[in-house]
DNA sequence: TAAAAGTAGACAATCGATTACGCAAACATA
DNA sequence: TATGTTTGCGTAATCGATTGTCTACTTTTA
């Protein structure tokens, strides 16, 4: 194994100092054209590669960005990360991945790890539990490390975020169900400590209200984003005196569980019952009876989060930037809620 | 923003030198117990955190590990990465993600980026094309950076790999189809420059042979891992004089495309036609007619790849370790190939 | 008591790149 | 010619932690 070439090696080779080599490589104007050319050529010949670690130590910039997600093996987060990686890659940043597993403690550890690794910024989707890592988040801000939330955000003064218009699209989804002739619409509600789920619930509620449909608390079932909860919820709903005729679910997985359970009960979807999910998980379009869902624009969200980070990092004036980007999501109407009725 | 505390700050505070502080923090025996305690306490009080960048520069170890995958937004790779991250996290390593997009050039760039970032190891699944980044791979090895392939490997002297027993499980899958009464079994074949697909094909072929079924080249269709190729392949197969009665697909996506197209043609699965996919993508079990598939044990694969890396990095004796780990995968028999017939 | 041995910590170099400062030579101006 | 300016590059400090070598002091041993 041969040692890496350093600027000192090049300097020795040319009989100049490392400082001059550094300047030449960085196109510093204080170097003559001839020397610069010589240095460039020699560097290429000796296969010189800048030592990022030395640069990082000197400049305090590691060119690494940390991303914290609840988990990576979910289509949504994986796609967001893909977007982040692609955007940042073009700007020579690397992406370091941490998983919080919806666990407050691990989330805290991840933050510490990333700060410790001297990342240049942290992009995160907060853990599911109503985590109280506020001290750590404060530390990120105090250290002047750009922090950007995506999807699951917290409202913190001065912190940018990228989300989708959960309220609007949920409103739209609910109206869509109403237009299909449904009037007893249930909602599978996610963790209300997270704004996204709160907004989905609010959008649903408002749509009912605006269309003269009374809100029924019995139709709102708290669910985690897993198949089983959807099944359980359907059972619960059908034990009511007047069961619903549609579900707007805040998750594709619970919606899928619901559809399976409805089938078990012999209830025809969409003829007798309409279902709308949320997330546009790949399986929604692969199902025999494809599922209406909401595209959360994960790729775009990742790219946008990365762009917001880049803006902040390039903001030399030290002006506080607080950007709240809200992406447009899209209701994708498929079989599970298409009665082909025009009301 | 307050500057981070360094060992110099602690040294000044205590009237000793930074060297002593460093030794105290590292439990070097040349430091008295009293001084060590004092240093520890002061460090805690001043909220000292070791600067990883300085350490990295000094030691040449960054505690970052690079992972290169074709893409991250596929369930398989995301799960592998999850496994890698979880295992390495426990050993204080961070994971840097790069996507090659099945593109040889980007794969090369990723390798360069990672080497440049001084990662302590590279775990990769090679790009789909028969890439010729051998020079770069050689550079990794020359630099003594541990390189570990997972799933899609190349056979390089001295390089470890973690894969599944593609041949065996493909054999098993084909035998399973035969046992269901199928005798004209087609195969959706992946890129044969990749060992995994080669082995799946070979396992399929051997199973036919061992069961006295003649191999028919017309039944082998080259496909990329996308829905459309599965549909197209079914059309192609049914334009044959004697169409097959089963498919063993090397990908879940093509298998899904096939099932959709079979349905379109009014062919009943599994009654008239059996289908086995590969990969255990989430949708396979969510489908109304769940799909038989092969679990590739991605989480385990990730963890194992990480473990092999850790072994190599901790191998002080500088003995060449070449480990070829083959994980057991599992045929998951579901509806798409279950005729409940015992032959 | 003097020499030998051991202990605790200081000093300084090192990892590789960047950069403020300074200096000498070349050139321009008066 | 004397003075000022520009150009091109060298010197040395810096980022923060680690570590080989050296030194002053203490303790042990003969």
């Amino acid at each position: 194994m041969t040692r890496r070439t350093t600027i000192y090696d090049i300097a020795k080779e040319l009989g100049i100092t490392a400082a001059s080599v550094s300047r030449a490589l960085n196109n510093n104007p204080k170097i003559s054209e001839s020397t610069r050319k010589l240095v460039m050529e020699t560097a290429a010949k000796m296969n010189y590669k800048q030592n990022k670690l030395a640069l990082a130590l000197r400049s305090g910039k590691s060119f690494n960005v940390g991303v914290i997600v609840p988990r990576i093996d979910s289509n949504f987060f994986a796609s967001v990360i893909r977007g982040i990686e692609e955007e940042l890659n073009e700007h020579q940043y690397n992406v370091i991945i941490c998983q919080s597993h919806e666990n407050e403690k691990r989330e805290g550890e991840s933050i510490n790890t990333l700060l410790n690794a001297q990342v240049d910024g942290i992009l995160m989707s907060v853990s599911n539990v109503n985590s109280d890592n506020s001290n750590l988040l404060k530390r990120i801000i105090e250290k002047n490390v750009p922090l950007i939330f995506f999807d699951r955000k917290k409202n913190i003064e001065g912190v940018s975020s990228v989300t989708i218009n959960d309220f609007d699209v949920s409103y739209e989804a609910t109206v869509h169900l109403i237009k299909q002739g449904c009037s007893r619409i249930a909602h599978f509600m996610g963790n209300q400590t997270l704004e996204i789920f709160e907004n989905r619930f609010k959008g649903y509620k408002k749509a009912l209200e605006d269309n003269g449909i009374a809100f029924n608390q019995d139709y709102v079932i708290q669910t985690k984003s897993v198949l089983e909860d959807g099944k359980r919820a359907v059972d619960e709903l059908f034990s009511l005196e007047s069961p619903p005729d549609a579900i707007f679910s805040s998750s594709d997985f619970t919606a899928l569980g619901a559809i399976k359970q409805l089938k078990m009960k012999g209830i025809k979807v969409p003829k007798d019952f309409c279902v709308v999910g949320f997330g546009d998980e790949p399986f929604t379009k692969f199902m025999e009876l494809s599922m209406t869902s909401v595209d959360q624009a994960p790729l775009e969200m990742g790219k946008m989060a990365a762009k917001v980070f880049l803006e902040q990092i390039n903001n030399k004036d030290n002006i506080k930037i607080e950007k709240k980007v809200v992406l447009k999501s899209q209701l994708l109407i498929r079989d599970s809620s298409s009665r082909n009725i025009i009301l």
Side-chain angles (χ1 to χ4, degrees), chain A:
Chain A
M1 180 175 72
T2 49
R3 216 173 43 80
R4 293 170 63 110
T5 3
T6 71
I7 52 171
Y8 293 92
D9 301 326
I10 300 175
K12 195 183 284 175
E13 182 76 18
L14 296 178
I16 57 179
T17 61
S20 298
V21 175
S22 172
R23 289 196 180 93
L25 291 170
N26 288 291
N27 289 318
N28 185 308
K30 295 196 144 208
I31 291 292
S32 70
E33 197 48 52
S34 58
T35 309
R36 182 194 325 285
K37 227 180 123 187
L38 205 59
V39 168
M40 292 293 194
E41 281 166 6
T42 314
K45 198 163 53 197
M46 297 177 75
N47 194 26
Y48 168 77
K49 293 279 188 305
Q50 191 188 43
N51 185 324
K52 300 283 183 194
L53 293 181
L55 181 60
L57 176 59
R58 180 90 225 283
S59 65
K61 245 191 106 161
S62 65
F63 269 95
N64 288 328
V65 172
V67 175
I68 305 176
V69 289
R71 65 192 166 285
I72 184 182
D73 57 343
S74 105
N75 186 263
F76 174 71
F77 289 120
S79 297
V80 175
I81 291 172
R82 176 183 176 135
I84 292 174
E85 202 270 332
E86 285 176 15
E87 186 72 29
L88 290 185
N89 208 33
E90 280 178 27
H91 295 83
Q92 279 66 56
Y93 283 92
N94 296 316
V95 174
I96 294 179
I97 299 290
C98 292
Q99 300 178 83
S100 67
H101 294 282
E102 314 272 10
N103 175 325
E104 173 173 4
K105 193 162 149 261
R106 288 195 68 151
E107 183 175 275
E109 288 167 5
S110 295
I111 295 175
N112 270 327
T113 300
L114 291 175
L115 286 179
N116 227 240
Q118 318 259 92
V119 292
D120 295 342
I122 294 180
L123 315 187
M124 75 184 285
S125 217
V126 299
S127 64
N128 210 341
V129 291
N130 189 9
S131 89
D132 191 30
N133 281 321
S134 9
N135 283 335
L136 281 171
L137 294 176
K138 232 178 258 167
R139 258 192 69 206
I140 301 177
I141 299 164
E142 275 167 12
K143 280 179 171 257
N144 246 346
V145 174
L147 171 64
I148 288 124
F149 290 125
F150 57 88
D151 197 48
R152 303 166 166 202
K153 66 169 183 165
K154 290 203 173 203
N155 279 321
I156 298 182
E157 162 93 24
V159 178
S160 296
S161 65
V162 181
T163 53
I164 56 165
N165 54 343
D166 288 283
F167 179 92
D168 295 339
V169 80
S170 298
Y171 184 98
E172 186 186 348
T174 309
V175 168
H176 160 68
L177 286 171
I178 296 170
K179 281 199 180 151
Q180 297 298 307
C182 306
S183 57
R184 302 188 308 282
I185 303 169
H187 177 52
F188 290 175
M189 182 177 78
N191 183 340
Q192 291 293 295
T193 63
L194 291 172
E195 240 181 63
I196 50 168
F197 292 121
E198 194 189 339
N199 288 336
R200 289 175 200 176
F201 177 47
K202 283 184 178 164
Y204 152 80
K205 224 166 150 179
K206 186 69 161 51
L208 294 182
E209 191 182 306
D210 287 359
N211 286 274
I213 297 178
F215 169 71
N216 181 347
Q217 184 65 51
D218 291 343
Y219 284 175
V220 178
I221 314 274
Q222 172 95 39
T223 52
K224 280 183 191 157
S225 185
V226 293
L227 211 90
E228 289 66 34
D229 273 25
K231 292 186 175 179
R232 182 184 54 70
V234 162
D235 287 340
E236 199 170 318
L237 287 171
F238 274 83
S239 72
L240 292 175
E241 220 166 288
S242 160
D245 58 5
I247 293 169
F248 165 56
S249 170
S250 58
S251 146
D252 278 338
F253 291 95
T254 45
L256 175 62
I259 287 180
K260 285 194 175 273
Q261 197 67 359
L262 288 166
K263 197 169 185 186
M264 198 92 116
K265 289 184 182 297
I267 295 164
K268 295 268 177 275
V269 176
K271 194 170 148 284
D272 302 328
F273 202 105
C274 289
V275 177
V276 173
F278 207 109
D280 194 30
E281 283 287 324
F283 67 78
T284 56
K285 53 178 161 299
F286 293 159
M287 295 163 68
E288 267 92 328
L289 181 97
S290 63
M291 189 199 290
T292 297
S293 190
V294 173
D295 171 27
Q296 295 185 82
L299 209 66
E300 207 185 338
M301 186 179 284
K303 291 195 180 209
M304 185 53 77
K307 277 180 189 160
V308 172
F309 159 74
L310 290 170
E311 261 179 50
Q312 295 202 5
I313 204 83
N314 292 326
N315 164 31
K316 302 289 176 203
D317 317 329
N318 223 2
I319 299 167
K320 264 256 164 74
I321 300 182
E322 181 181 335
K323 215 164 176 176
K324 306 278 184 191
V325 180
V326 179
L327 300 174
K328 272 200 75 172
S329 53
Q330 210 179 349
L331 179 66
L332 302 168
I333 298 173
R334 302 204 184 95
D335 296 344
S336 68
S337 71
S338 292
R339 286 173 169 169
N340 299 318
I341 296 174
I342 297 162
L343 290 182

